[in-house]
Amino acid sequence: MLKTDVIIIGGGSTGCGIARDLALRGISHCLIEKGDFAAGATGACHGLLHSGGRYVVNDPEAAAECIAENMILRKIGRKCVEETGGLFVRLPGDSKNFRDRFLKSCETIGIDTEVLSPSKALDLVPTLNPSIEEAIRVPDCSIDPFRLCLLNIVTAEKKGARIFTHHEVTEIIKEHGRCVGVKAREEHTGDMKEIRGKLIINATGAWGDRTAILADCTVPMTLSKGSLIITNHRLTNMVINRLRPPSDGDIIVPNEAVCLAGTTSVPVLDPGAVEVDPREVDIVATEAEMMIPGFGTTRLIRTYAGVRPLLKSETNDDRKISRGFRIIDHENGLYSIIGGKLTTYRLMAEKMCDTVISVFGLKTRCKTADTPLEGQERLSGYPLSKRLKKLKDIVCECELVTRADVEAALSSVGSRHIGDIQHRTRLGMGPCQGGFCTYRALGIMQEAGRMTPDDSMRTLKEFLQRRFKGIKPALWGDQLREEQLVESIYLGILAMEREE
Ligand SMILES: Cc1cc2nc3c(=O)[nH]c(=O)nc-3n(C[C@H](O)[C@H](O)[C@H](O)COP(=O)(O)OP(=O)(O)OC[C@H]3O[C@@H](n4cnc5c(N)ncnc54)[C@H](O)[C@@H]3O)c2cc1C
C-alpha cells in the first residue's frame, strides 16, 4: 500500500496543474489517470489559449481570468504556446450592437483590441472572406494541450510524485465517515492498487459527479458535447473567431501543421460515450466556410468530440453557463474542482492548492505563475529545415517522427499503449492519421519486448476501429481516396479481416 499526502484523481490539465503546484510547494502527492494524460476534455479541445474575447460580453469574470492566465502562460510555457494572435470577424448581417458591447467590455476588462478595416485584416489573413465588414484583433494564442500536461508532470515527477496513468479509481475508501484513500485498477492487467492519503482531489472533469458518488457525494453538473474537425493543412496563421454571441462553429484555430474548427454544443449524459454526428461536421464546416471560403471543401483528416464539464445552472442553454470554476469541499476529506477552461487550468490549480495548504495549516505560496515549465528545453522550437537534416529512419512521414523518437518515448513511459507514443511524439496525427506509421510503431514496440505479436495485432485492430470512428464523419474527396488505400492495404495485402 502506498501512502502520500494528497491524491489527485484525473490527469487532464486541471489534475496535472495541481500536481505541479503541489510539487513546487513541497507537498507529497500521487496522480491517478484512467487513460493517458489529456484523455478527457483537455485532449479534445480546440487548443485555444483564450484572450477572453469569447466570453467578454456574457461572462466577464471568466473573460478576466482568461486574459490574466493568457499572459502568464505565454511567459511560463513558451514551447506550448504559439503567439498567433486572433481576429474576431464581423460578417455582413452580424450585429453592430454586439460589436460595440464587445469593444466596451474588452476595454473594461483590459483585453487589448485593435479594429481593422477589411483590407488590413486581409493583409494579415489573406484567406479570410473578402466581404467581412471589419475585424477586431485580440491576443488569442494556440496552445498544445498534450504538451502542456506532460510539461506540468515533469516537475511533479522530479519532486518524487507517484504518477499512475492507465489506472482507474474504482473505489474511494472511507473510514469513520472520512475519505482516506482510493483503490485503482490497472487497465491492462486488472491489478488493484491501494493508495492512502490525507486529502483527495477529484479533478475528473466531466466524470466529476461519477467520481464524487464513489464517496457518497454529489457534484451538480451539466455535460455538453462539442465536436470539431481537422483540416490537413493550415488555412490561417491566426485564430479566427466570429464576432457574435457564442454559437456553433465560430472558432478556427491553427495548430502545428493543421487547423481545427469547432464547435457544437449538445447536452449528453455519459462523458465516455460520445460520437461525432455527421450533421455536426456539416454545421461546423459550413460556418467555418463563411469566415474562410474554401474551408468546406478542404480535405478533412479527422473529427473528434469532447465533453465540457460545466457547473449546473438555472439556464437550459449550455452556451450561457458560466465558464468559471468552483471548488467543492465535501467536508469528508474529498474536494472536487469543476468547470473552468484549459486556459485557466493554472489558476484553478493555484486555488485548489491554496485550499490544501490552508487545510494542512501551512503558508507556502504558489510559485507556478513565475516559474517556467520544466522540460521545455528538450522540445524542438527551431526551423523545419534544420530538423530535416537530422532525420533518419522516419516512422511517421506526416509528422516527421523517427524510430529514435519512438524508442525514446517507449523508454521514458515504458508503455504498452500506442496512444502514449502518439501523444508524446505526434505520431499518426497528420493526414494519414496513423494509417501507415501505427503499424511500424507497433513493430518497434514488439521488438522492444513491450508486447507479444498477438498483443500488437489486437492493438492494431482496436486502433484501426477507433481511427475509423473519427474519420468516418469526414469521408469524402481525397480523404476518402486515402482511406480506401489504407483499407485495401490492411484488408487486401495484410489480410487483417481474417481471424488468425
Ligand atoms: C469541444 C471542447 C472544446 C474546448 N475548447 C477549449 C479551448 O479552446 N480553450 C480552452 O481554454 N478550453 C476549452 N475547452 C474546455 C477545456 O477543454 C476544459 O475545461 C478542460 O480541458 C478541463 O480539464 P480537466 O482536467 O478539468 O478535465 P479533463 O481533461 O476531462 O480531465 C479529467 C480526467 O479524469 C480522468 N478520469 C475520469 N474518471 C477517472 C477515474 N475514475 N480514475 C482516474 N481517472 C479518471 C479522465 O480520463 C480525464 O483524463 C473545450 C472543451 C471542449 C469539450
Side-chain angles (χ1 to χ4, degrees), residues 78-82 147 256 375-387 390:
R78 284 180 189 286
K79 294 275 180 79
C80 301
V81 176
E82 184 183 345
R147 215 173 252 186
E256 300 273 341
Q376 295 187 77
E377 51 298 336
R378 278 189 286 113
L379 299 173
S380 66
Y382 49 84
L384 188 64
S385 53
K386 284 197 187 157
R387 265 169 74 196
K390 284 174 56 184

Side-chain angles (χ1 to χ4, degrees), residues 10 12-14 33-34 40-42 45-46 48 50 169 306 340-343:
S13 53
T14 310
E33 162 55 51
K34 71 183 164 103
T42 301
C45 81
H46 266 110
L48 167 56
H50 285 277
V169 169
K341 307 282 307 158
L342 175 74
T343 304

